[in-house]
Amino acid sequence: MNRIAACCVGAALLAAPGSARAQDTSHDMRDMNMAMPIPMPAGMKMMPGLVGLVPPVTPFLPGAAAQLAQLPEAMPGTITPLGNGDTLDLTASLVRRTIKGHAYAMYAFNRQVPGPLIRVAQNATITVRFHNRIDLPSSVHWHGVRLDNASDGAVGVTQQAVAPGADYTYTVHFPDAGIYWYHPHVREDIEQAMGLFGNMLVDAPDHDYYSPANQEQVLTLGDLLMQADTLIPFGKEGPDFALMGRVGNVLLVNGEPGYSLRVHQGEVVRFYLTNVSSSRTWNISFGGARIKVLASDVSRFEHEEFVPSVVLAPAERYIVEVRFDHAGTFPLVNAVQAINHFRGEFEPEVDTLGSVIVDDAPARPDHGAAFAMLRSNDSVTRDIDRYRPYFDKPPDKTLTLTVRPAGLPLATVQFMTIDTAYYAPVEWVDGMPDMNWLSTSGEVRWMFRDNATGKENEAIDWHVKRGSVVKLRIFNDPTSFHPMQHPIHLHGQRMLVISRDGVPTRNLAWKDTALVPVGSTVDLLIDASNPGDWMLHCHIAEHLGAGMMMVMHVE
Ligand SMILES: [Cu+2]
């Protein structure tokens, strides 16, 4: 009997609330929490062959041993300016967090959600003394920052996990301006989702680095999966929702389910956007207000552009400016194309995350004229020019993205064989939450396959010389068991997305994370300038937890 079947027996013993079984306090956590149905999209029922099943993992939620009332209440994130040589104490701990009027035991850095916004000058070096006071092993990864390998926070590659109660000191050097973020690099599916994330805003010395704005807003875009007022537990032994990742149904801006900003008519707001979700890809717009894209992960773009909306895959950052040119209310919107796997239909899905309320007092100063102009960042172009001779060389390395299932419920396997007849390049929402929930890292293995050697994930052993320029071609196999987009993140280096499906990118920015849609081939050019052992992995937390990682050694 496999583990699914064993759990199925346990679930079958569960009766309706009020029954003798439900009142029996002797049953274990598994029965109590994991048998709770997960939220299904409107009009969709759980697949008949899956009713009564639970994921074959022990349910986990933070703070099981803590008294909720005794925990300190989480606070909003504060700006923490740090100078070169400064030290920050960063403590991950349990907090009481109130969402839509209900309190939950969750995690926070320095009791803040998001964690402290570390604001530093470009080229500053700071020391961070990390104190793990949560109930899981943890670490801190400084996402996108080209720092010393020993401070990368990559558990299993650059350090051991920091045990509960233990400490670790990081030295963080910031060679590049822009918006970055920090999060644990162990069980991200739990720790990041439960509140352990924060930004670093790195200021260039040039005060004219971006076009002028009246104010700045740093926004994290995240989500939380709940059934009514209850958090859906995580898998203790490994991630559940291993097929598509955990896609939340409560959308959070800076950890809160509603966002609100008041501005004057004509103001230009510079938004620093970070996708901190486990799996969700966002498509963000501002109620028709004009959006200008300035920068992404590790640099500005060669040219500023006006766009109708901004797509952010997990871990990606975009810096945009938005001008609110008339009084009124501009909704902050996530507008996507949902795919309903059960019905095989696509349908639009639009969620309002908050609003920008514009009064009729005039902006002072009025940056309207500067906003209307699109700047070219010649220094970015000149920097990239040094790499252009490598754009057309044959790939040095090629990877195929695929998945191998083993021991999934029969109904899921049968469904997938017909479901892959159609696929979406990007799955914006979870259109099959039942099948997804029941798949754990025990049954699903997501994979990088090195086409040159046939090796997979951590067995792949790439050694490249420091200073070399590596062209990496990644193909996302649409014929795999369950094809899905993957946001691929490389630690400690910078890279260019030089082409997608053979079409050259016409406006480049240095990136650390690139989305590879289903069926697509993406060519990356890696500037391998930072020595050490660096992870390459999918940033969908559950895909990483289900194996999708490897290490590139820069010597
Ligand atoms: Cu992935």
Side-chain angles (χ1 to χ4, degrees):
M1 184 186 290
N2 67 26
R3 288 190 294 161
I4 285 270
C7 285
C8 182
V9 173
L13 290 172
L14 264 186
S19 73
R21 174 65 184 170
Q23 288 162 358
D24 176 6
T25 53
S26 67
H27 57 287
D28 66 12
M29 277 271 291
R30 173 170 302 200
D31 293 333
M32 285 197 325
N33 287 337
M34 276 302 188
M36 179 176 56
I38 47 153
M40 297 293 286
M44 197 195 298
K45 288 198 172 75
M46 222 167 166
M47 288 214 348
L50 300 178
V51 173
L53 299 188
V54 291
V57 282
T58 311
F60 176 87
L61 281 171
Q67 292 287 337
L68 186 60
Q70 306 295 315
L71 295 175
E73 183 77 26
M75 303 176 290
T78 57
I79 300 173
T80 304
L82 292 174
N84 187 37
D86 283 355
T87 295
L88 174 70
D89 282 289
L90 192 66
T91 303
S93 69
L94 282 160
V95 292
R96 186 178 67 245
R97 196 163 143 200
T98 304
I99 294 167
K100 292 186 173 176
H102 292 267
Y104 307 92
M106 294 173 74
Y107 300 137
F109 284 119
N110 291 4
R111 299 186 185 174
Q112 299 172 29
V113 180
L117 170 63
I118 298 171
R119 187 153 202 175
V120 292
Q122 187 175 359
N123 287 318
T125 302
I126 62 168
T127 300
V128 180
R129 294 193 296 231
F130 171 57
H131 312 290
N132 181 13
R133 302 295 179 261
I134 68 169
D135 47 5
L136 289 176
S138 193
S139 77
V140 187
H141 169 57
W142 310 91
H143 186 116
V145 180
R146 297 190 289 161
L147 43 47
D148 280 350
N149 198 217
S151 287
D152 193 41
V155 169
V157 178
T158 62
Q159 68 168 90
Q160 296 296 308
V162 183
D167 310 288
Y168 194 93
T169 299
Y170 296 95
T171 302
V172 189
H173 174 66
F174 298 94
D176 304 295
I179 188 80
Y180 300 86
W181 69 300
Y182 57 93
H183 60 77
H185 220 297
V186 52
R187 289 310 299 271
E188 293 89 329
D189 66 304
I190 303 175
E191 298 185 18
Q192 195 179 289
M194 289 291 95
L196 292 180
F197 55 85
N199 278 114
M200 297 92 83
L201 181 50
V202 184
D203 294 314
D206 175 5
H207 67 88
D208 194 29
Y209 190 72
Y210 304 116
S211 40
N214 295 92
Q215 58 168 308
E216 298 175 307
Q217 290 279 304
V218 178
L219 306 186
T220 62
L221 305 170
D223 57 10
L224 208 52
L225 187 62
M226 307 184 81
Q227 170 73 307
D229 302 330
T230 308
L231 289 169
I232 304 292
F234 300 86
K236 189 177 173 69
E237 298 83 0
D240 50 11
F241 293 94
L243 279 176
M244 299 188 60
R246 182 178 286 237
V247 183
N249 55 355
V250 178
L251 306 185
L252 303 171
V253 178
N254 289 344
E256 293 289 334
Y259 171 74
S260 172
L261 177 69
R262 290 180 175 276
V263 305
H264 298 317
Q265 180 174 294
E267 276 195 17
V268 174
V269 181
R270 186 181 306 132
F271 290 97
Y272 298 86
L273 306 174
T274 304
N275 183 351
V276 302
S277 310
S278 293
S279 179
R280 178 184 292 272
T281 297
W282 302 81
N283 181 36
I284 295 295
S285 55
F286 293 82
R290 220 167 177 202
I291 304 171
K292 183 171 24 175
V293 181
L294 312 181
S296 188
D297 301 349
V298 192
S299 84
R300 293 175 294 178
F301 281 91
E302 293 180 86
H303 313 284
E304 295 178 346
E305 283 186 57
F306 289 114
V307 296
S309 63
V310 184
V311 172
L312 296 101
E316 278 193 303
R317 285 91 60 214
Y318 278 88
I319 304 173
V320 302
E321 286 178 351
V322 183
R323 184 160 189 263
F324 299 95
D325 61 359
H326 60 267
T329 298
F330 292 75
L332 173 60
V333 159
N334 182 46
V336 300
Q337 192 75 3
I339 178 170
N340 181 318
H341 282 271
F342 198 71
R343 294 201 300 267
E345 291 169 2
F346 292 89
E347 51 207 359
E349 187 170 305
V350 179
D351 290 296
T352 299
L353 307 170
S355 54
V356 179
I357 298 148
V358 184
D359 64 31
D360 53 12
R364 289 213 169 85
D366 185 342
H367 295 302
F371 182 79
M373 301 214 330
L374 293 173
R375 304 195 325 184
S376 288
N377 296 310
D378 294 337
S379 62
V380 176
T381 298
R382 280 197 304 275
D383 180 23
I384 293 173
D385 281 346
R386 298 189 288 132
Y387 300 85
R388 266 180 246 275
Y390 301 101
F391 282 18
D392 293 327
K393 72 169 173 172
D396 300 293
K397 306 283 185 189
T398 64
L399 290 174
T400 296
L401 311 181
T402 186
V403 64
R404 184 189 298 134
L408 282 170
L410 183 62
T412 300
V413 175
Q414 288 172 333
F415 186 83
M416 287 297 160
T417 38
I418 50 165
D419 181 58
T420 46
Y422 60 91
Y423 63 82
V426 175
E427 301 255 20
W428 301 93
V429 301
D430 183 350
M432 37 168 263
D434 46 1
M435 288 176 276
N436 189 19
W437 176 49
L438 293 169
S439 64
T440 77
S441 55
E443 298 87 48
V444 174
R445 182 168 164 82
W446 285 100
M447 285 182 302
F448 291 136
R449 183 176 297 133
D450 181 2
N451 296 324
T453 63
K455 289 183 176 170
E456 294 168 355
N457 293 343
E458 57 271 69
I460 303 170
D461 196 26
W462 286 352
H463 293 257
V464 305
K465 287 268 181 293
R466 181 183 185 183
S468 59
V469 178
V470 179
K471 184 168 174 179
L472 168 59
R473 176 166 293 172
I474 303 179
F475 171 61
N476 189 350
D477 183 2
T479 67
S480 71
F481 172 76
H482 174 70
M484 189 163 167
Q485 76 275 6
H486 301 282
I488 303 300
H489 171 46
L490 175 62
H491 288 211
Q493 318 292 338
R494 58 180 190 168
M495 62 192 189
L496 299 166
V497 181
I498 55 175
S499 73
R500 294 180 173 277
D501 298 315
V503 179
T505 311
R506 55 181 178 77
N507 184 12
L508 291 162
W510 288 100
K511 299 280 292 171
D512 56 60
T513 305
L515 185 64
V516 184
V518 176
S520 275
T521 299
V522 173
D523 282 357
L524 304 174
L525 200 73
I526 298 165
D527 174 22
S529 57
N530 194 8
D533 301 332
W534 302 100
M535 281 177 76
L536 178 77
H537 67 87
C538 177
H539 218 286
I540 291 178
E542 294 78 6
H543 290 186
L544 171 58
M548 203 167 201
M549 70 79 76
M550 54 167 284
V551 176
M552 189 173 86
H553 311 274
V554 180
E555 299 166 332

